[in-house]
Amino acid sequence: MVNRMFPGGAELFRLGSRVTHLNHGSFGAVPVPVADAQRRLAAEAAADPDSFFIGVADRVARARSRIATGLGTDPEGAALVANATEAAHLALDALRLTPDDEVLVTDHGYGTVVAAAARRARVVTVALGPGLPDEEAVRKAVLAGLTPRTRVALLDQISSPTARFIATPALLADLRERGVVTVVDGAHAPGTLAEPLAGEPDFWFGNLHKWAYAPPGSALLAVAPAHRDRVPAPVPSWEDDRGFPRSVEYRATVDYTGWLAAPDGLDLLAHLGPARVRDHNSALADHGAGLLACLPGVTPLAADQRLPMRSLRLPPAFARTPAEAAALREEIAARLGFRVLIWPWPGGGGIRISGQIYNAPEEYERLAAALGPLLDGR
């Protein structure tokens, strides 16, 4: 159990005091040094726009090289993009899917990423449910969902609602042996996993603004060599003749300051000590989950000690639909003063909490003390 604050952790962020932030996994929060770096870049662009934009493609390439190297992947096989959803669209477009192709997803998949597949092909959903006990059970369920028509498996590396591993290296190897193209949604992997691209998926993408301390709108798409020349540019640009990744990254006159400041986030994490941060955050989330599990009708789900998030099932009357989940999330924020994720599920959804270096153990204790009466009062 964590019994103290991460030294200097809270001072690295400018979070407001109106609510207690226990939901870093959704939108992240930008540390002060990274926000300051982005502001300096914005001031530079404002002072001399011509100079800034004439040289920005090369600067983005250098930033991408630092980020890709830090995550353990080839800088020439990766591109900076806005977020995981955009990356999913680019990856699926590169595969030239037809309506007769099948894309396998799971019922833990992120909604807009699954929707990207549904726009292009037939989606087959494997039901994992929240309660599968371990990675082996997940692996068997996914493999059992394959059909002779399955062309692509679009899988979360770490599921957003339930905070569990799905696209493990073992499962990716099984899919490769069966000739299935793997597209991995690694939204939570950068900054969380020591080897975020383990398993060598065909396509992998991860958000940098969650656990890698980057500004919003910062993500990385990594592509295996066989697919790189087929990744489409999102818009025509003067870098199109350079091909991937520069044709994907350059979008003419847009705000590049988040991408250019993103390496500062990884540098900050390296300075703090990645293993130390991960252990602290996981222990905090574990502490909070243990307290919430003591509430009547709240059931912990399978957890992984490598992750800074924990998810628990709420009593059956709660969060059965997206509308109910959103209403409960906002009620907890407004009435109790906590930001958490409430995820919907037929028959009753759940709650996900995160741990970050700006959090303290007593915040989870206050959440558990306040949430109990709210649930009992329904």
Side-chain angles (χ1 to χ4, degrees):
M1 169 185 161
V2 172
N3 56 18
R4 59 182 176 82
M5 287 284 291
F6 192 96
E11 289 73 26
L12 282 171
F13 296 83
R14 294 193 178 105
L15 291 165
S17 58
R18 185 181 65 82
V19 295
T20 299
H21 299 267
L22 304 180
N23 188 30
H24 190 89
S26 282
F27 303 105
V30 187
V32 172
V34 181
D36 289 345
Q38 186 179 19
R39 275 193 288 273
R40 289 192 295 270
L41 288 160
E44 179 189 341
D48 188 351
D50 287 50
S51 176
F52 183 86
F53 285 105
I54 287 170
V56 77
D58 289 336
R59 293 177 71 173
V60 167
R62 291 193 292 272
R64 178 230 311 146
S65 182
R66 289 173 61 190
I67 293 165
T69 300
L71 297 181
T73 192
D74 176 12
E76 295 308 308
L80 287 166
V81 294
N83 50 52
T85 301
E86 181 182 75
H89 278 262
L90 293 170
L92 293 166
D93 274 351
L95 293 172
R96 311 291 197 270
L97 297 170
T98 72
D100 290 329
D101 289 322
E102 283 187 0
V103 177
L104 181 145
V105 302
T106 79
D107 55 0
H108 292 235
Y110 194 73
T112 56
V113 172
V114 173
R119 286 187 179 187
R120 295 163 172 83
R122 178 184 296 111
V123 168
V124 175
T125 303
V126 174
L128 300 179
L132 287 182
D134 53 32
E135 292 176 10
E136 180 62 15
V138 170
R139 186 184 74 86
K140 289 179 178 178
V142 171
L143 294 177
L146 297 174
T147 77
R149 301 172 69 94
T150 305
R151 184 176 171 198
V152 178
L154 173 58
L155 303 172
D156 289 81
Q157 191 169 14
I158 301 163
S159 64
S160 179
T162 48
R164 68 178 308 153
F165 281 94
I166 294 177
T168 60
L171 177 54
L172 294 176
D174 289 331
L175 293 167
R176 187 181 306 113
E177 289 177 2
R178 290 158 172 79
V180 177
V181 175
T182 52
V183 180
V184 173
D185 181 351
H188 291 278
T192 295
L193 304 181
E195 297 181 65
L197 281 91
E200 300 181 353
D202 292 290
F203 297 86
W204 174 96
F205 43 87
N207 287 325
L208 304 171
H209 69 267
K210 295 178 184 287
W211 305 101
Y213 296 152
S218 306
L220 192 75
L221 167 65
V223 183
H227 303 287
R228 290 173 188 171
D229 62 355
R230 305 188 72 185
V231 180
V235 295
S237 82
W238 296 113
E239 292 287 310
D240 281 1
D241 62 324
R242 305 287 292 270
F244 183 85
R246 290 174 75 112
S247 62
V248 167
E249 292 171 333
Y250 189 68
R251 289 112 183 270
T253 312
V254 299
D255 186 357
Y256 295 97
T257 59
W259 291 356
L260 296 179
D264 291 78
L266 287 175
D267 289 347
L268 174 61
L269 182 61
H271 172 74
L272 295 172
R276 180 170 168 241
V277 169
R278 292 172 190 138
D279 289 347
H280 176 89
N281 293 346
S282 177
L284 270 179
D286 213 44
H287 173 61
L291 295 167
L292 293 176
C294 295
L295 300 179
V298 176
T299 307
L301 301 183
D304 193 296
Q305 298 301 313
R306 292 169 288 181
L307 301 182
M309 301 182 291
R310 296 292 183 275
S311 202
L312 303 94
R313 196 82 182 263
L314 292 169
F318 294 90
R320 295 163 296 188
T321 66
E324 288 184 358
L328 179 58
R329 179 196 68 210
E330 294 309 307
E331 183 178 4
I332 290 171
R335 288 183 53 190
L336 307 185
F338 292 91
R339 277 293 177 190
V340 297
L341 176 71
I342 302 295
W343 45 272
W345 205 271
I351 181 172
R352 191 198 71 195
I353 56 172
S354 300
Q356 187 48 270
I357 61 172
Y358 53 71
N359 292 126
E362 56 268 23
E363 294 174 339
Y364 304 87
E365 294 157 14
R366 295 201 309 269
L367 171 65
L371 186 61
L374 187 149
L375 297 179
D376 289 341
R378 292 290 185 91

